[in-house]
Amino acid sequence: MTTSHKISFIIIGRNEGRNIHRACRSVQEACRSDQICQNETIYVDNNSTDNSVEEAIRVGNVAVYKTIGAQGAAIARNVGAQQATGDIFVFLDGDMQLLPGFLKAIFNKRGMLIHPFVSGNWVNWYHNHQGEHLYHEVYRKTAVHKPSHQTVTGGFFVMERWLWEKLGGMDTCLVTGQDLDLGLRSSAMGFKLLRLPVVGVNHHTIHYRDEKRKWESLLAFRDVYARALLYRKHLWRNPYILKRMVTSDPTWLFLCIAIVVSLVTLNIWMLAAYPILAVLATAIHRKREGLKTFASEAAFIITRDLFNLVAFLFFFPRKPHYRVETIHTKETCHA
């Protein structure tokens, strides 16, 4: 398939040594399968301590850059976009595998992208902490059966350069949730993500509800960054954020309302009802599971809500400082 524009594939990762070779190779194989002639592959490494950089170089035809200092997906994607020479950016995480057929689906017969901001469904391949495959399924939170416009983005998406530059790239103050922020800002400008009912990637990851993963993310405040800062940033100027709050953090929203009502009425009855609501939310999410898991989930929800409240009120991060090292600049454009 002949496209009218050059495509830059921007892959980011940290300590993805077991995955990054597969990610880079999948881009090259998809380009051959879908006959994408004008392309380049860029890997931006977030200061890995494993062999991620060496594995990316070993693939061949991959430009490799490394960020030193502050880390984060927003920083890495911004660096990749700055180094890219294409008119269209395809963003992937280092634990993803691009599938043949998706690239054909996002271009029309004239070789033009069908929408400035587009993605597809993906399949989560869940692994344990030792890297052993457990099972896989379509990611149901964002999956669609017909083309649909969404504000939720995720780590896999395609965007035209002019829209990326108009949005100013990603907000590097956000350690996580930067893709959601991008989707919200783009939606507010009239460009929602167009999600197609085509599986675009396999995503190799530990289950999102894995106890160790959840608590590590929360206690490192990564989960707090994603939620509290997003809500504070968009609450007064973006109508799409309320839906996000209701669907993703109903207990936190109730806690905030309860505090305000208690302060105004000088009555704590609503605030006292918050733990009951948290337990009910746990029951809905963890039905048919053991008491130990139930208690852990309830504790997690309450801890997360309290952390988010503190961050929402008091945490104002500064722009991070980092530098970029050019590791490998082998030309990746194919005529």
Side-chain angles (χ1 to χ4, degrees), residues 7-10 12 73 77-78 88-93 96 98 102-103 106 113 116-120 122 152-160 163-164 167 169-170 178-180 182-183 186 193-195 200-201:
I7 304 176
S8 296
F9 294 88
I10 300 169
I12 66 168
R77 290 195 180 107
N78 285 354
I88 296 173
F89 300 153
V90 179
F91 291 95
L92 298 161
D93 288 342
M96 290 180 173
L98 185 64
F102 174 75
L103 297 174
I106 64 175
L113 197 65
F117 189 16
V118 62
S119 187
W122 67 75
V152 178
T153 306
F156 163 58
F157 61 93
V158 183
M159 181 176 282
E160 292 188 3
L163 180 55
W164 174 269
L167 292 167
M170 288 194 162
Q178 64 290 317
D179 49 352
L180 298 174
L182 186 77
S186 184
L193 174 78
L194 174 63
R195 193 173 299 280
V201 294

mmCIF file of all heavy atoms in Angstrom, residues 7-10 12 73 77-78 88-93 96 98 102-103 106 113 116-120 122 152-160 163-164 167 169-170 178-180 182-183 186 193-195 200-201:
data_model
loop_
_atom_site.group_PDB
_atom_site.id
_atom_site.type_symbol
_atom_site.label_atom_id
_atom_site.label_comp_id
_atom_site.label_asym_id
_atom_site.label_seq_id
_atom_site.Cartn_x
_atom_site.Cartn_y
_atom_site.Cartn_z
ATOM 1 N N ILE A 7 5.721 7.537 7.716
ATOM 2 C CA ILE A 7 5.236 7.150 9.030
ATOM 3 C C ILE A 7 6.410 6.937 9.970
ATOM 4 O O ILE A 7 7.356 6.212 9.638
ATOM 5 C CB ILE A 7 4.390 5.868 8.960
ATOM 6 C CG1 ILE A 7 3.240 6.033 7.972
ATOM 7 C CG2 ILE A 7 3.849 5.507 10.345
ATOM 8 C CD1 ILE A 7 2.421 4.782 7.774
ATOM 9 N N SER A 8 6.351 7.557 11.133
ATOM 10 C CA SER A 8 7.359 7.366 12.170
ATOM 11 C C SER A 8 6.769 6.497 13.274
ATOM 12 O O SER A 8 5.783 6.878 13.910
ATOM 13 C CB SER A 8 7.808 8.713 12.755
ATOM 14 O OG SER A 8 8.452 9.506 11.783
ATOM 15 N N PHE A 9 7.355 5.340 13.498
ATOM 16 C CA PHE A 9 6.936 4.443 14.565
ATOM 17 C C PHE A 9 7.794 4.752 15.794
ATOM 18 O O PHE A 9 9.020 4.613 15.752
ATOM 19 C CB PHE A 9 7.104 2.986 14.150
ATOM 20 C CG PHE A 9 6.204 2.578 13.017
ATOM 21 C CD1 PHE A 9 6.604 2.745 11.696
ATOM 22 C CD2 PHE A 9 4.947 2.049 13.272
ATOM 23 C CE1 PHE A 9 5.783 2.377 10.644
ATOM 24 C CE2 PHE A 9 4.112 1.671 12.218
ATOM 25 C CZ PHE A 9 4.529 1.848 10.904
ATOM 26 N N ILE A 10 7.152 5.202 16.866
ATOM 27 C CA ILE A 10 7.853 5.631 18.072
ATOM 28 C C ILE A 10 7.532 4.642 19.191
ATOM 29 O O ILE A 10 6.399 4.563 19.664
ATOM 30 C CB ILE A 10 7.448 7.065 18.465
ATOM 31 C CG1 ILE A 10 7.785 8.028 17.324
ATOM 32 C CG2 ILE A 10 8.142 7.479 19.761
ATOM 33 C CD1 ILE A 10 7.199 9.410 17.500
ATOM 34 N N ILE A 12 8.499 3.234 23.020
ATOM 35 C CA ILE A 12 9.131 3.670 24.266
ATOM 36 C C ILE A 12 9.179 2.499 25.244
ATOM 37 O O ILE A 12 8.380 1.566 25.146
ATOM 38 C CB ILE A 12 8.393 4.858 24.909
ATOM 39 C CG1 ILE A 12 6.993 4.426 25.380
ATOM 40 C CG2 ILE A 12 8.295 6.028 23.942
ATOM 41 C CD1 ILE A 12 6.303 5.427 26.278
ATOM 42 N N ALA A 73 6.701 8.124 30.469
ATOM 43 C CA ALA A 73 6.239 7.892 29.106
ATOM 44 C C ALA A 73 6.058 9.195 28.342
ATOM 45 O O ALA A 73 6.313 9.260 27.133
ATOM 46 C CB ALA A 73 4.932 7.106 29.126
ATOM 47 N N ARG A 77 7.906 9.873 24.801
ATOM 48 C CA ARG A 77 7.148 10.085 23.567
ATOM 49 C C ARG A 77 7.454 11.462 22.965
ATOM 50 O O ARG A 77 7.526 11.610 21.740
ATOM 51 C CB ARG A 77 5.650 9.937 23.840
ATOM 52 C CG ARG A 77 5.262 8.497 24.143
ATOM 53 C CD ARG A 77 3.757 8.273 24.046
ATOM 54 N NE ARG A 77 3.442 6.883 24.349
ATOM 55 C CZ ARG A 77 2.869 6.445 25.455
ATOM 56 N NH1 ARG A 77 2.520 7.326 26.385
ATOM 57 N NH2 ARG A 77 2.630 5.166 25.658
ATOM 58 N N ASN A 78 7.631 12.462 23.811
ATOM 59 C CA ASN A 78 8.005 13.777 23.295
ATOM 60 C C ASN A 78 9.362 13.737 22.614
ATOM 61 O O ASN A 78 9.561 14.336 21.555
ATOM 62 C CB ASN A 78 8.018 14.803 24.426
ATOM 63 C CG ASN A 78 6.623 15.220 24.860
ATOM 64 O OD1 ASN A 78 5.630 14.835 24.256
ATOM 65 N ND2 ASN A 78 6.541 16.006 25.916
ATOM 66 N N ILE A 88 3.284 11.296 10.125
ATOM 67 C CA ILE A 88 2.331 10.542 10.936
ATOM 68 C C ILE A 88 3.110 9.779 11.995
ATOM 69 O O ILE A 88 4.111 9.123 11.688
ATOM 70 C CB ILE A 88 1.513 9.564 10.062
ATOM 71 C CG1 ILE A 88 0.650 10.342 9.063
ATOM 72 C CG2 ILE A 88 0.638 8.663 10.930
ATOM 73 C CD1 ILE A 88 -0.055 9.462 8.054
ATOM 74 N N PHE A 89 2.652 9.872 13.242
ATOM 75 C CA PHE A 89 3.304 9.188 14.352
ATOM 76 C C PHE A 89 2.465 7.983 14.777
ATOM 77 O O PHE A 89 1.258 8.106 14.994
ATOM 78 C CB PHE A 89 3.467 10.110 15.559
ATOM 79 C CG PHE A 89 4.301 11.338 15.300
ATOM 80 C CD1 PHE A 89 4.106 12.491 16.042
ATOM 81 C CD2 PHE A 89 5.282 11.350 14.319
ATOM 82 C CE1 PHE A 89 4.878 13.631 15.824
ATOM 83 C CE2 PHE A 89 6.053 12.476 14.075
ATOM 84 C CZ PHE A 89 5.849 13.624 14.834
ATOM 85 N N VAL A 90 3.109 6.836 14.904
ATOM 86 C CA VAL A 90 2.480 5.649 15.475
ATOM 87 C C VAL A 90 3.200 5.350 16.783
ATOM 88 O O VAL A 90 4.387 5.037 16.789
ATOM 89 C CB VAL A 90 2.569 4.433 14.542
ATOM 90 C CG1 VAL A 90 1.914 3.215 15.194
ATOM 91 C CG2 VAL A 90 1.914 4.728 13.201
ATOM 92 N N PHE A 91 2.486 5.484 17.903
ATOM 93 C CA PHE A 91 3.088 5.300 19.221
ATOM 94 C C PHE A 91 2.773 3.903 19.759
ATOM 95 O O PHE A 91 1.626 3.446 19.720
ATOM 96 C CB PHE A 91 2.562 6.348 20.206
ATOM 97 C CG PHE A 91 3.035 7.739 19.915
ATOM 98 C CD1 PHE A 91 2.249 8.612 19.163
ATOM 99 C CD2 PHE A 91 4.260 8.189 20.384
ATOM 100 C CE1 PHE A 91 2.679 9.906 18.896
ATOM 101 C CE2 PHE A 91 4.703 9.478 20.129
ATOM 102 C CZ PHE A 91 3.914 10.342 19.371
ATOM 103 N N LEU A 92 3.824 3.260 20.269
ATOM 104 C CA LEU A 92 3.697 1.928 20.862
ATOM 105 C C LEU A 92 4.506 1.867 22.146
ATOM 106 O O LEU A 92 5.552 2.513 22.255
ATOM 107 C CB LEU A 92 4.234 0.848 19.916
ATOM 108 C CG LEU A 92 3.573 0.657 18.551
ATOM 109 C CD1 LEU A 92 4.507 -0.081 17.623
ATOM 110 C CD2 LEU A 92 2.284 -0.118 18.718
ATOM 111 N N ASP A 93 4.042 1.077 23.102
ATOM 112 C CA ASP A 93 4.854 0.770 24.271
ATOM 113 C C ASP A 93 5.768 -0.400 23.939
ATOM 114 O O ASP A 93 5.478 -1.207 23.045
ATOM 115 C CB ASP A 93 3.971 0.422 25.464
ATOM 116 C CG ASP A 93 3.249 1.634 26.035
ATOM 117 O OD1 ASP A 93 3.691 2.767 25.741
ATOM 118 O OD2 ASP A 93 2.256 1.455 26.759
ATOM 119 N N MET A 96 4.461 -4.012 23.540
ATOM 120 C CA MET A 96 3.406 -4.241 22.558
ATOM 121 C C MET A 96 3.975 -4.847 21.279
ATOM 122 O O MET A 96 5.161 -4.710 20.966
ATOM 123 C CB MET A 96 2.680 -2.938 22.230
ATOM 124 C CG MET A 96 1.837 -2.413 23.362
ATOM 125 S SD MET A 96 0.998 -0.861 22.936
ATOM 126 C CE MET A 96 -0.048 -0.652 24.384
ATOM 127 N N LEU A 98 2.927 -4.922 17.255
ATOM 128 C CA LEU A 98 2.049 -4.437 16.186
ATOM 129 C C LEU A 98 1.662 -5.595 15.263
ATOM 130 O O LEU A 98 2.512 -6.402 14.869
ATOM 131 C CB LEU A 98 2.767 -3.356 15.385
ATOM 132 C CG LEU A 98 1.956 -2.657 14.289
ATOM 133 C CD1 LEU A 98 0.782 -1.887 14.885
ATOM 134 C CD2 LEU A 98 2.849 -1.710 13.484
ATOM 135 N N PHE A 102 -3.489 -3.821 10.533
ATOM 136 C CA PHE A 102 -3.979 -2.597 11.162
ATOM 137 C C PHE A 102 -3.626 -1.373 10.331
ATOM 138 O O PHE A 102 -4.458 -0.469 10.153
ATOM 139 C CB PHE A 102 -3.413 -2.450 12.571
ATOM 140 C CG PHE A 102 -3.776 -1.132 13.220
ATOM 141 C CD1 PHE A 102 -5.055 -0.920 13.701
ATOM 142 C CD2 PHE A 102 -2.853 -0.105 13.295
ATOM 143 C CE1 PHE A 102 -5.414 0.294 14.276
ATOM 144 C CE2 PHE A 102 -3.192 1.116 13.870
ATOM 145 C CZ PHE A 102 -4.478 1.312 14.357
ATOM 146 N N LEU A 103 -2.410 -1.311 9.821
ATOM 147 C CA LEU A 103 -1.982 -0.139 9.063
ATOM 148 C C LEU A 103 -2.831 0.044 7.808
ATOM 149 O O LEU A 103 -3.156 1.174 7.429
ATOM 150 C CB LEU A 103 -0.501 -0.256 8.699
ATOM 151 C CG LEU A 103 0.453 -0.288 9.901
ATOM 152 C CD1 LEU A 103 1.879 -0.559 9.439
ATOM 153 C CD2 LEU A 103 0.374 1.008 10.694
ATOM 154 N N ILE A 106 -6.218 1.865 8.602
ATOM 155 C CA ILE A 106 -6.294 3.272 9.015
ATOM 156 C C ILE A 106 -6.047 4.245 7.867
ATOM 157 O O ILE A 106 -6.103 5.460 8.078
ATOM 158 C CB ILE A 106 -5.314 3.564 10.171
ATOM 159 C CG1 ILE A 106 -3.863 3.375 9.721
ATOM 160 C CG2 ILE A 106 -5.633 2.695 11.375
ATOM 161 C CD1 ILE A 106 -2.849 3.758 10.787
ATOM 162 N N LEU A 113 -4.485 9.149 5.945
ATOM 163 C CA LEU A 113 -5.012 8.682 7.215
ATOM 164 C C LEU A 113 -6.494 9.050 7.311
ATOM 165 O O LEU A 113 -6.884 10.177 6.996
ATOM 166 C CB LEU A 113 -4.227 9.316 8.364
ATOM 167 C CG LEU A 113 -4.356 8.675 9.749
ATOM 168 C CD1 LEU A 113 -3.767 7.270 9.747
ATOM 169 C CD2 LEU A 113 -3.646 9.535 10.797
ATOM 170 N N PRO A 116 -7.303 12.180 11.990
ATOM 171 C CA PRO A 116 -6.023 12.651 12.530
ATOM 172 C C PRO A 116 -5.559 11.938 13.795
ATOM 173 O O PRO A 116 -4.387 12.022 14.168
ATOM 174 C CB PRO A 116 -6.289 14.142 12.819
ATOM 175 C CG PRO A 116 -7.464 14.509 11.998
ATOM 176 C CD PRO A 116 -8.294 13.277 11.914
ATOM 177 N N PHE A 117 -6.477 11.247 14.480
ATOM 178 C CA PHE A 117 -6.178 10.631 15.767
ATOM 179 C C PHE A 117 -6.936 9.311 15.808
ATOM 180 O O PHE A 117 -8.155 9.295 15.926
ATOM 181 C CB PHE A 117 -6.639 11.584 16.868
ATOM 182 C CG PHE A 117 -6.232 11.219 18.270
ATOM 183 C CD1 PHE A 117 -5.231 10.306 18.539
ATOM 184 C CD2 PHE A 117 -6.875 11.823 19.344
ATOM 185 C CE1 PHE A 117 -4.866 9.995 19.829
ATOM 186 C CE2 PHE A 117 -6.512 11.537 20.655
ATOM 187 C CZ PHE A 117 -5.507 10.614 20.893
ATOM 188 N N VAL A 118 -6.221 8.192 15.695
ATOM 189 C CA VAL A 118 -6.895 6.911 15.487
ATOM 190 C C VAL A 118 -6.168 5.796 16.247
ATOM 191 O O VAL A 118 -4.956 5.875 16.494
ATOM 192 C CB VAL A 118 -6.977 6.577 13.978
ATOM 193 C CG1 VAL A 118 -5.600 6.435 13.371
ATOM 194 C CG2 VAL A 118 -7.815 5.343 13.719
ATOM 195 N N SER A 119 -6.917 4.774 16.631
ATOM 196 C CA SER A 119 -6.352 3.590 17.264
ATOM 197 C C SER A 119 -7.275 2.411 16.971
ATOM 198 O O SER A 119 -8.205 2.532 16.170
ATOM 199 C CB SER A 119 -6.184 3.799 18.776
ATOM 200 O OG SER A 119 -5.496 2.711 19.361
ATOM 201 N N GLY A 120 -7.002 1.293 17.615
ATOM 202 C CA GLY A 120 -7.823 0.108 17.421
ATOM 203 C C GLY A 120 -7.962 -0.656 18.722
ATOM 204 O O GLY A 120 -7.528 -0.208 19.784
ATOM 205 N N TRP A 122 -7.034 -3.839 21.249
ATOM 206 C CA TRP A 122 -5.829 -4.630 21.448
ATOM 207 C C TRP A 122 -6.115 -5.798 22.376
ATOM 208 O O TRP A 122 -7.083 -5.810 23.125
ATOM 209 C CB TRP A 122 -4.661 -3.792 21.942
ATOM 210 C CG TRP A 122 -4.735 -3.201 23.313
ATOM 211 C CD1 TRP A 122 -4.580 -3.844 24.502
ATOM 212 C CD2 TRP A 122 -4.949 -1.824 23.636
ATOM 213 N NE1 TRP A 122 -4.675 -2.956 25.545
ATOM 214 C CE2 TRP A 122 -4.897 -1.707 25.041
ATOM 215 C CE3 TRP A 122 -5.142 -0.669 22.872
ATOM 216 C CZ2 TRP A 122 -5.055 -0.492 25.696
ATOM 217 C CZ3 TRP A 122 -5.306 0.531 23.521
ATOM 218 C CH2 TRP A 122 -5.257 0.611 24.908
ATOM 219 N N VAL A 152 -10.700 8.244 25.722
ATOM 220 C CA VAL A 152 -9.661 7.388 26.304
ATOM 221 C C VAL A 152 -8.667 6.989 25.216
ATOM 222 O O VAL A 152 -9.064 6.520 24.153
ATOM 223 C CB VAL A 152 -10.277 6.138 26.945
ATOM 224 C CG1 VAL A 152 -9.187 5.242 27.510
ATOM 225 C CG2 VAL A 152 -11.262 6.528 28.031
ATOM 226 N N THR A 153 -7.379 7.158 25.493
ATOM 227 C CA THR A 153 -6.369 6.920 24.472
ATOM 228 C C THR A 153 -5.629 5.607 24.690
ATOM 229 O O THR A 153 -5.841 4.645 23.991
ATOM 230 C CB THR A 153 -5.364 8.092 24.431
ATOM 231 O OG1 THR A 153 -6.082 9.306 24.263
ATOM 232 C CG2 THR A 153 -4.395 7.933 23.283
ATOM 233 N N GLY A 154 -4.753 5.544 25.689
ATOM 234 C CA GLY A 154 -3.944 4.348 25.904
ATOM 235 C C GLY A 154 -2.569 4.493 25.280
ATOM 236 O O GLY A 154 -2.255 5.496 24.621
ATOM 237 N N GLY A 155 -1.729 3.487 25.456
ATOM 238 C CA GLY A 155 -0.347 3.572 24.999
ATOM 239 C C GLY A 155 -0.139 3.272 23.540
ATOM 240 O O GLY A 155 1.002 3.304 23.048
ATOM 241 N N PHE A 156 -1.198 2.964 22.805
ATOM 242 C CA PHE A 156 -1.106 2.644 21.378
ATOM 243 C C PHE A 156 -2.067 3.537 20.608
ATOM 244 O O PHE A 156 -3.277 3.441 20.766
ATOM 245 C CB PHE A 156 -1.451 1.158 21.159
ATOM 246 C CG PHE A 156 -1.790 0.810 19.741
ATOM 247 C CD1 PHE A 156 -0.890 1.040 18.720
ATOM 248 C CD2 PHE A 156 -3.019 0.238 19.440
ATOM 249 C CE1 PHE A 156 -1.215 0.723 17.397
ATOM 250 C CE2 PHE A 156 -3.359 -0.096 18.139
ATOM 251 C CZ PHE A 156 -2.446 0.142 17.121
ATOM 252 N N PHE A 157 -1.515 4.426 19.787
ATOM 253 C CA PHE A 157 -2.362 5.307 18.994
ATOM 254 C C PHE A 157 -1.561 5.897 17.846
ATOM 255 O O PHE A 157 -0.323 5.875 17.829
ATOM 256 C CB PHE A 157 -2.968 6.425 19.851
ATOM 257 C CG PHE A 157 -1.957 7.338 20.490
ATOM 258 C CD1 PHE A 157 -1.561 8.515 19.879
ATOM 259 C CD2 PHE A 157 -1.400 7.017 21.717
ATOM 260 C CE1 PHE A 157 -0.632 9.361 20.464
ATOM 261 C CE2 PHE A 157 -0.470 7.852 22.320
ATOM 262 C CZ PHE A 157 -0.089 9.030 21.696
ATOM 263 N N VAL A 158 -2.290 6.439 16.876
ATOM 264 C CA VAL A 158 -1.702 7.061 15.689
ATOM 265 C C VAL A 158 -2.187 8.500 15.629
ATOM 266 O O VAL A 158 -3.377 8.765 15.827
ATOM 267 C CB VAL A 158 -2.128 6.314 14.398
ATOM 268 C CG1 VAL A 158 -1.441 6.924 13.175
ATOM 269 C CG2 VAL A 158 -1.821 4.823 14.519
ATOM 270 N N MET A 159 -1.271 9.428 15.364
ATOM 271 C CA MET A 159 -1.648 10.842 15.313
ATOM 272 C C MET A 159 -0.838 11.556 14.242
ATOM 273 O O MET A 159 0.369 11.305 14.085
ATOM 274 C CB MET A 159 -1.419 11.516 16.673
ATOM 275 C CG MET A 159 -1.815 12.989 16.718
ATOM 276 S SD MET A 159 -1.658 13.735 18.373
ATOM 277 C CE MET A 159 -3.137 13.099 19.176
ATOM 278 N N GLU A 160 -1.510 12.425 13.510
ATOM 279 C CA GLU A 160 -0.796 13.235 12.530
ATOM 280 C C GLU A 160 0.067 14.272 13.236
ATOM 281 O O GLU A 160 -0.303 14.803 14.290
ATOM 282 C CB GLU A 160 -1.789 13.913 11.587
ATOM 283 C CG GLU A 160 -2.513 12.928 10.674
ATOM 284 C CD GLU A 160 -3.359 13.604 9.615
ATOM 285 O OE1 GLU A 160 -3.346 14.855 9.556
ATOM 286 O OE2 GLU A 160 -4.035 12.891 8.853
ATOM 287 N N LEU A 163 -1.379 17.693 14.413
ATOM 288 C CA LEU A 163 -2.234 17.684 15.594
ATOM 289 C C LEU A 163 -1.387 17.520 16.855
ATOM 290 O O LEU A 163 -1.648 18.184 17.872
ATOM 291 C CB LEU A 163 -3.267 16.554 15.493
ATOM 292 C CG LEU A 163 -4.234 16.424 16.679
ATOM 293 C CD1 LEU A 163 -4.967 17.732 16.947
ATOM 294 C CD2 LEU A 163 -5.229 15.288 16.446
ATOM 295 N N TRP A 164 -0.383 16.660 16.789
ATOM 296 C CA TRP A 164 0.529 16.493 17.921
ATOM 297 C C TRP A 164 1.171 17.833 18.299
ATOM 298 O O TRP A 164 1.234 18.202 19.470
ATOM 299 C CB TRP A 164 1.593 15.465 17.568
ATOM 300 C CG TRP A 164 2.678 15.292 18.586
ATOM 301 C CD1 TRP A 164 3.877 15.961 18.637
ATOM 302 C CD2 TRP A 164 2.676 14.413 19.709
ATOM 303 N NE1 TRP A 164 4.620 15.553 19.715
ATOM 304 C CE2 TRP A 164 3.908 14.605 20.391
ATOM 305 C CE3 TRP A 164 1.764 13.485 20.210
ATOM 306 C CZ2 TRP A 164 4.247 13.886 21.542
ATOM 307 C CZ3 TRP A 164 2.095 12.767 21.356
ATOM 308 C CH2 TRP A 164 3.316 12.968 22.000
ATOM 309 N N LEU A 167 -1.263 20.270 19.869
ATOM 310 C CA LEU A 167 -1.534 19.934 21.266
ATOM 311 C C LEU A 167 -0.325 20.183 22.160
ATOM 312 O O LEU A 167 -0.443 20.174 23.390
ATOM 313 C CB LEU A 167 -1.948 18.459 21.380
ATOM 314 C CG LEU A 167 -3.303 18.086 20.772
ATOM 315 C CD1 LEU A 167 -3.445 16.576 20.679
ATOM 316 C CD2 LEU A 167 -4.441 18.673 21.601
ATOM 317 N N GLY A 169 2.310 18.179 22.266
ATOM 318 C CA GLY A 169 2.813 16.906 22.758
ATOM 319 C C GLY A 169 2.195 16.524 24.085
ATOM 320 O O GLY A 169 1.082 16.934 24.424
ATOM 321 N N MET A 170 2.931 15.746 24.874
ATOM 322 C CA MET A 170 2.425 15.270 26.148
ATOM 323 C C MET A 170 2.912 16.134 27.304
ATOM 324 O O MET A 170 3.977 16.756 27.227
ATOM 325 C CB MET A 170 2.844 13.815 26.370
ATOM 326 C CG MET A 170 2.096 12.849 25.475
ATOM 327 S SD MET A 170 2.274 11.139 26.010
ATOM 328 C CE MET A 170 0.888 10.390 25.119
ATOM 329 N N GLN A 178 -0.564 10.304 31.140
ATOM 330 C CA GLN A 178 -0.283 11.302 30.115
ATOM 331 C C GLN A 178 -1.046 11.022 28.820
ATOM 332 O O GLN A 178 -1.418 11.954 28.101
ATOM 333 C CB GLN A 178 1.218 11.374 29.824
ATOM 334 C CG GLN A 178 1.840 10.125 29.248
ATOM 335 C CD GLN A 178 1.933 8.975 30.221
ATOM 336 O OE1 GLN A 178 2.298 9.177 31.374
ATOM 337 N NE2 GLN A 178 1.597 7.781 29.772
ATOM 338 N N ASP A 179 -1.325 9.760 28.533
ATOM 339 C CA ASP A 179 -2.094 9.445 27.341
ATOM 340 C C ASP A 179 -3.560 9.851 27.514
ATOM 341 O O ASP A 179 -4.202 10.326 26.571
ATOM 342 C CB ASP A 179 -1.974 7.959 26.998
ATOM 343 C CG ASP A 179 -2.238 7.056 28.192
ATOM 344 O OD1 ASP A 179 -2.357 7.563 29.322
ATOM 345 O OD2 ASP A 179 -2.335 5.835 27.993
ATOM 346 N N LEU A 180 -4.092 9.678 28.744
ATOM 347 C CA LEU A 180 -5.455 10.128 29.015
ATOM 348 C C LEU A 180 -5.556 11.645 28.903
ATOM 349 O O LEU A 180 -6.538 12.178 28.371
ATOM 350 C CB LEU A 180 -5.874 9.684 30.424
ATOM 351 C CG LEU A 180 -5.921 8.174 30.668
ATOM 352 C CD1 LEU A 180 -6.213 7.896 32.134
ATOM 353 C CD2 LEU A 180 -6.957 7.511 29.783
ATOM 354 N N LEU A 182 -3.714 13.567 27.037
ATOM 355 C CA LEU A 182 -3.661 13.911 25.611
ATOM 356 C C LEU A 182 -5.024 13.722 24.959
ATOM 357 O O LEU A 182 -5.480 14.574 24.187
ATOM 358 C CB LEU A 182 -2.614 13.049 24.904
ATOM 359 C CG LEU A 182 -2.347 13.407 23.442
ATOM 360 C CD1 LEU A 182 -1.481 14.657 23.344
ATOM 361 C CD2 LEU A 182 -1.665 12.250 22.716
ATOM 362 N N GLY A 183 -5.690 12.613 25.282
ATOM 363 C CA GLY A 183 -7.012 12.357 24.726
ATOM 364 C C GLY A 183 -8.035 13.380 25.158
ATOM 365 O O GLY A 183 -8.883 13.809 24.365
ATOM 366 N N SER A 186 -7.213 16.701 23.320
ATOM 367 C CA SER A 186 -7.573 16.596 21.905
ATOM 368 C C SER A 186 -9.090 16.633 21.727
ATOM 369 O O SER A 186 -9.606 17.280 20.810
ATOM 370 C CB SER A 186 -6.994 15.306 21.320
ATOM 371 O OG SER A 186 -7.245 15.215 19.941
ATOM 372 N N LEU A 193 -10.462 10.605 19.729
ATOM 373 C CA LEU A 193 -9.810 9.430 19.169
ATOM 374 C C LEU A 193 -10.837 8.580 18.430
ATOM 375 O O LEU A 193 -11.904 8.283 18.970
ATOM 376 C CB LEU A 193 -9.178 8.606 20.287
ATOM 377 C CG LEU A 193 -8.583 7.253 19.872
ATOM 378 C CD1 LEU A 193 -7.234 7.447 19.202
ATOM 379 C CD2 LEU A 193 -8.447 6.323 21.065
ATOM 380 N N LEU A 194 -10.540 8.206 17.199
ATOM 381 C CA LEU A 194 -11.375 7.274 16.447
ATOM 382 C C LEU A 194 -10.834 5.867 16.681
ATOM 383 O O LEU A 194 -9.729 5.549 16.249
ATOM 384 C CB LEU A 194 -11.358 7.594 14.955
ATOM 385 C CG LEU A 194 -12.076 6.589 14.047
ATOM 386 C CD1 LEU A 194 -13.573 6.523 14.377
ATOM 387 C CD2 LEU A 194 -11.864 6.925 12.571
ATOM 388 N N ARG A 195 -11.598 5.045 17.386
ATOM 389 C CA ARG A 195 -11.169 3.672 17.635
ATOM 390 C C ARG A 195 -11.881 2.735 16.663
ATOM 391 O O ARG A 195 -13.111 2.737 16.567
ATOM 392 C CB ARG A 195 -11.448 3.254 19.074
ATOM 393 C CG ARG A 195 -10.739 1.946 19.454
ATOM 394 C CD ARG A 195 -10.870 1.618 20.922
ATOM 395 N NE ARG A 195 -10.305 2.617 21.793
ATOM 396 C CZ ARG A 195 -9.004 2.736 22.067
ATOM 397 N NH1 ARG A 195 -8.143 1.929 21.482
ATOM 398 N NH2 ARG A 195 -8.569 3.666 22.889
ATOM 399 N N GLY A 200 -5.125 -4.054 16.771
ATOM 400 C CA GLY A 200 -3.898 -3.453 16.281
ATOM 401 C C GLY A 200 -2.641 -4.006 16.904
ATOM 402 O O GLY A 200 -1.600 -4.100 16.249
ATOM 403 N N VAL A 201 -2.722 -4.377 18.202
ATOM 404 C CA VAL A 201 -1.531 -4.870 18.888
ATOM 405 C C VAL A 201 -1.880 -5.989 19.862
ATOM 406 O O VAL A 201 -3.011 -6.083 20.340
ATOM 407 C CB VAL A 201 -0.820 -3.740 19.690
ATOM 408 C CG1 VAL A 201 -0.261 -2.671 18.775
ATOM 409 C CG2 VAL A 201 -1.741 -3.145 20.737
#
